Amino acid sequence: MSIRICIVTPFAWSQNHEANEHVRAVAKSVEELGHTLAILAPSNRASELTAGRRALRLLEQDQQPLQGFVAVGPAVSVSRRERAGVPVGVRANLRLALGPGSFDIVHVYDPARMSLSNHALQITDALTIATFHSPEGVSHHAGKKRRERLLTRVDALTATSQRALEAARKRFPGDYQLLPLGIDIDRIDASSSTDRPVLLVEWHPDEKDTVKTILRTMQAIPEWDICVLRTKQFAGRPYIPRALRERCTLATARDEERRTSLISQCTAYVSATQGSERARAEAQALGVPLIEASSGESLASTLARCLESAPSAPTAAFDLSGSAENSGSAIDDHSTSALAKHLDSLYGELLKRRRPATRERSKPLADRPWILCDLHNHTEFSHDCSVPVVDLLDEAERLGLGAIAVTDHNAFAGAQLAHELSKERELTVIPGEEMKTERGEVIGLFIQEEIPAGLSMEDTIVAIRDQGGLVYLPHPFDRMHSIARPETIHRLLGEIDAIEVYNARLLFDAYNDEALRFARKYNMLMGAGSDAHVLQGLGTGLVRMRAFTDGEEFLVSLRAAEIVRRPKSLLYLQGLKWVAQARERRARAGVR
């Protein structure tokens, strides 16, 4: 099955960047898998910007899908303190490119920055993958709420290096996968050689002392030449001692072709601890020995021992931390074929989470009348509500509702009583309970007995299932309530029967919008409720659906249901709730 995939990178396509090298490797792997691919990125090349505008125009006018690289705007530098890193015009282009149904999967790089990737996560309705490449870029997203919002929109977390993974996990906790680097072994030419042995030393500005130690050691080994390699932009340069200036060169290589050319000419390679993971893997692919400090021995001692013992055939003296066979296995793990295999598994796993769209030829329950159903209500059996059960039923019938769900906080007696009383009425009552778990709340519908609070989300769902009930997730992204962690929701996605996409009592509509986006992404059944704690709030959030008699028919009816919003002033409803609670406290205390 062909998948439509979009990769979004915040780094200018017109400039060399390691993250974009990985994007190119992913693009090649995706094409090998037979999927359709588009790459969205900024650029400063006039020709690429012109071609990007043309592609977006064809998409808007002729619905011609995007394919290949598309420049969505000029590259704009973003500082750590910048809060609006994407110009309005670029945002509009991105919104057009990532319109509803455009792609199955959107794969973004370094979304912690306020950049193209971060904005793509905010607007897409596709399944999403976030890849962290730069450990330094993770710190851009400082706000906790913003980080939580980002995590709710990411379906899979990945990293291109162990350092990036560990840095990202501190700021964005979750289950990460380490992606292969995607080294194209067939393109690497290892035929270059030099007359004298050359030691290639990777330079990193935070590791000046290490390079200084290496250069000092090399002064005593005149048989070797030294090349200091810079792989980062604006990395500065080390001080070269006078005694080494005739046999020490400084080189800059930020693209794969130049980098592999330099590595292939060297005899041994010393990588920086915070250096390029890709350059290290390329050195392994070329069979260049990596010099690292052995256990109990400093880097200077290891370097002197290796270089002095075999200046003409150094590879025989190096401790490569494993055999040549293991080295070959290591580079195979980072090849383009390994990346393609990993991505194929990841994409397949994500697509399995999305429920198949229901396309029923016949219309089930078509002979049933349409009714309005409120799926979230409370009675006096909730600790924060004083509405009698009978009054709730009377008000529901007065409003013309066909069904309501009674979902008291950690109590089932009210729902049980309402269900018994409804047998003498035309109103259908769904017995339910809103349980507070260890982290987050969940509603059980069509249950038979009370479920205790304080259980884990998993155990609560099991208890609902044991009674033949349905799992209904209320206000899943309302940070004013106790909500489950994003990774918990993703893990238990298959156990959730329906999700509340409209709750009339939420302070911010953005929380409802987030739930609606989430439900659409996974083709989940959608519900709505007033979350009424006073009679005046009943019926402010409804579902228009076919009449039902049990849980099975309820789910069938919900497939063709419509969400009905009848909002009232939250300040008004909350004020009534506080007044009612105050009266109840005074009555209990015997105060008039």
Side-chain angles (χ1 to χ4, degrees), residues 159-290:
T160 58
S161 68
Q162 191 63 36
R163 289 194 305 114
L165 188 152
E166 292 172 358
R169 183 174 283 163
K170 292 178 182 178
R171 305 283 289 174
F172 303 94
D175 298 327
Y176 282 78
Q177 296 185 32
L178 194 61
L179 292 180
L181 294 174
I183 303 296
D184 192 351
I185 303 174
D186 297 333
R187 287 185 55 190
I188 297 179
D189 182 14
S191 60
S192 302
S193 61
T194 56
D195 297 333
R196 287 166 54 87
V198 179
L199 177 68
L200 189 63
V201 181
E202 185 180 7
W203 163 258
H204 192 280
D206 293 340
E207 300 179 27
K208 297 179 181 178
D209 292 339
T210 302
V211 176
K212 193 182 212 179
T213 301
I214 293 172
L215 295 178
R216 189 183 301 117
T217 304
M218 293 304 293
Q219 294 184 46
I221 310 176
E223 297 85 1
W224 284 73
D225 290 340
I226 309 104
C227 179
V228 179
L229 175 64
R230 295 184 297 185
T231 58
K232 307 286 185 181
Q233 188 179 19
F234 308 123
R237 56 184 297 161
Y239 169 75
I240 309 297
R242 186 180 296 273
L244 292 177
R245 289 180 184 176
E246 291 186 0
R247 55 191 181 97
C248 182
T249 58
L250 184 66
T252 302
R254 296 183 58 216
D255 62 281
E256 181 181 2
E257 184 177 355
R258 170 66 173 160
R259 197 169 51 241
T260 54
S261 175
L262 286 171
I263 295 175
S264 66
Q265 297 176 25
C266 73
T267 315
Y269 179 56
V270 180
S271 64
T273 305
Q274 303 179 52
S276 169
E277 296 283 345
R278 199 169 191 84
R280 182 185 181 90
E282 289 165 352
Q284 287 181 308
L286 289 165
V288 176
L290 299 175

Side-chain angles (χ1 to χ4, degrees), residues 55-71:
L56 291 170
R57 192 182 307 115
L58 290 174
L59 171 65
E60 184 177 22
Q61 296 177 354
D62 304 332
Q63 301 300 312
Q64 182 173 326
L66 299 178
Q67 196 165 357
F69 169 67
V70 178

Side-chain angles (χ1 to χ4, degrees), residues 529-544:
S530 60
D531 199 358
H533 288 69
V534 293
L535 289 178
Q536 291 82 349
L538 182 64
T540 50
L542 299 167
V543 180
R544 183 175 179 267

